[in-house]
Amino acid sequence: MAAGNWTWLELAKLLAQSFTPIALVILGLFVQRALKRFEHKQWRNQKLIERKLQVYDKLAPLFNTLLCYYTFVGTWKEHSPADIIKLKREIDGLVHLNKPLFEKEFSEAAEAFEAICFEMYTGMGKDARLRTFRNDHNEGYRGAWEASWDECYSNDPVDPPLVRIAYDRVIAAMVDEIRGPDQRPAASPHPKTLWRFRPPRKGEVKVPT
């Protein structure tokens, strides 16, 4: 059927030729916006990784100091109980401040590591007690031992191998965060079962595993 001197086929070809440049422009704008969103996401992820690296640089040495103190290696003779309690406060502050940056696996691993090392909830206004062997630290400390430090220790010391396990898991949790989900191992090296190593809190019933 003809429309004047034009056939419907010719009209269709003309419309197609007219819409093709418009479609290409729209497609180009869509691709450009998608690329910008991707670049912004990449930039944001990079900044997040940089921030996590900064946190790692601050926390890893503190965790390592705890490991040395509780496993009697490295610099353990140089630290008093007061130093370790002060160290715990510093770790608590850094973990709490940067908690929104990390997945819950890290905060859980950090909490489990501290629960291995310290007896918490010892009374209102009282410091946590160190779950390690007082006599060994008393004899090994290179400075002048203060009698008041004897009260800084728990009556439930933890075996050094458990401290090593908890330390490895909290460090692995931080490294996993920096790697990103695409580079994490299939089997997590810091399972949530670590909670069973810590002492029960007030009102909490531990279920045997």
Side-chain angles (χ1 to χ4, degrees):
M1 181 182 294
N5 295 326
W6 293 82
T7 65
W8 289 114
L9 180 59
E10 290 173 334
L11 285 173
K13 289 180 179 180
L14 180 62
L15 290 173
Q17 292 173 356
S18 301
F19 281 116
T20 297
I22 297 174
L24 289 175
V25 170
I26 294 174
L27 179 61
L29 291 173
F30 176 80
V31 171
Q32 186 179 21
R33 290 181 179 179
L35 286 174
K36 286 184 177 180
R37 286 196 298 268
F38 176 77
E39 290 174 355
H40 178 72
K41 183 178 180 181
Q42 291 291 96
W43 175 84
R44 184 179 59 187
N45 289 342
Q46 182 61 34
K47 290 298 181 182
L48 182 59
I49 290 174
E50 290 175 1
R51 176 58 182 164
K52 289 179 179 180
L53 280 170
Q54 293 174 358
V55 176
Y56 178 88
D57 288 341
K58 293 178 180 179
L59 275 175
L62 304 182
F63 285 139
N64 186 70
T65 298
L66 283 185
L67 175 70
C68 291
Y69 189 79
Y70 281 83
T71 57
F72 304 96
V73 298
T75 60
W76 72 277
K77 295 182 179 181
E78 300 175 8
H79 302 289
S80 70
D83 294 334
I84 300 303
I85 292 173
K86 181 180 178 181
L87 186 69
K88 178 187 181 299
R89 294 194 186 103
E90 188 174 356
I91 291 174
D92 287 342
L94 285 170
V95 170
H96 179 74
L97 179 63
N98 295 284
K99 191 174 182 179
L101 300 177
F102 292 87
E103 299 292 338
K104 65 178 181 179
E105 284 78 9
F106 165 68
S107 58
E108 288 176 352
E111 179 183 353
F113 182 46
E114 286 203 353
I116 284 287
C117 295
F118 299 96
E119 178 186 345
M120 264 83 81
Y121 313 105
T122 59
M124 184 175 296
K126 294 184 178 180
D127 292 324
R129 294 193 182 100
L130 283 58
R131 298 185 66 208
T132 185
F133 300 91
R134 178 185 60 197
N135 291 340
D136 293 330
H137 286 287
N138 188 333
E139 295 173 3
Y141 182 58
R142 289 175 177 168
W145 189 266
E146 297 182 12
S148 61
W149 289 347
D150 291 346
E151 299 180 1
C152 295
Y153 291 87
S154 170
N155 293 324
D156 182 27
V158 68
D159 291 331
L162 290 182
V163 178
R164 165 61 71 174
I165 292 172
Y167 169 82
D168 288 343
R169 286 171 177 167
V170 72
I171 293 298
M174 283 198 293
V175 172
D176 281 357
E177 290 278 351
I178 295 169
R179 284 176 176 173
D182 296 336
Q183 301 180 31
R184 293 176 188 172
S188 174
H190 47 88
K192 297 177 183 178
T193 53
L194 183 61
W195 73 272
R196 71 177 183 270
F197 292 129
R198 65 170 171 79
R201 296 172 178 171
K202 289 184 177 180
E204 180 183 54
V205 178
K206 295 298 291 289
V207 179
T209 57

